Amino acid sequence: MSLKKFKYLIAFIGAISLFIVGCSNLIENEEQYIKVQKRIGDQNEYEDFKEITDNEQVQKVKDILNYIDWEITTVNMIRPADFRFIFQYKNPEIEAKAALYELWISRNKDKVTLVIDAEMKYIQLDTGKSAELFEIITGEKLSELK
């Protein structure tokens, strides 16, 4: 094989590799927002509460959720979640399986519990992470709840 053909082969393999990497990261790099719902009444009924579209806030929530040690277990909570939220893509053409996060406020109003029922994941966050997540999700301070 001549050196010229070898250079073309290397360039072709490089171009194909870049294309494959670009396609695999397409969904990951697509902008997302968080749709939040709030429970109304004492039943398992929810209404749209807010949408978090600020990329920095969305990333903070992702960071909190990605760096916690989820417990894999089935839980039966005594009441429906206070809030629930889901990540959605801003581009309506992208369809992806999304996890529904359910959020409960503790009795002392100092911590939150999260459950991903479909994945059997459960966690009670410490007071710092609870306060940070709650404020982003609701726009309210956990410490100021009555």
Side-chain angles (χ1 to χ4, degrees), residues 32 83 135 139:
Q32 290 183 303
F83 293 89
E135 188 169 352

Side-chain angles (χ1 to χ4, degrees), residues 1 6 18 26 46 53 56 68 82 100 115 119 124 144:
M1 181 184 293
F6 183 72
L18 286 173
L26 181 63
Y46 294 84
T53 57
E56 188 176 313
I68 54 179
D82 298 303
L100 177 66
V115 172
E119 298 177 21
Q124 184 176 54
E144 295 176 0

Side-chain angles (χ1 to χ4, degrees), residues 39-84:
R39 188 180 80 224
I40 52 175
D42 293 330
Q43 301 304 313
N44 196 14
E45 295 178 32
Y46 294 84
E47 65 183 6
D48 289 344
F49 180 67
K50 71 182 276 190
E51 289 183 356
I52 302 164
T53 57
D54 180 72
N55 291 334
E56 188 176 313
Q57 297 289 62
V58 171
Q59 189 59 50
K60 282 182 184 178
V61 172
K62 283 182 177 182
D63 290 345
I64 291 170
L65 298 174
N66 288 334
Y67 296 106
I68 54 179
D69 291 324
W70 292 92
E71 292 180 38
I72 306 299
T73 185
T74 303
V75 293
N76 290 317
M77 304 302 274
I78 59 173
R79 61 182 166 84
D82 298 303
F83 293 89
R84 59 188 191 183

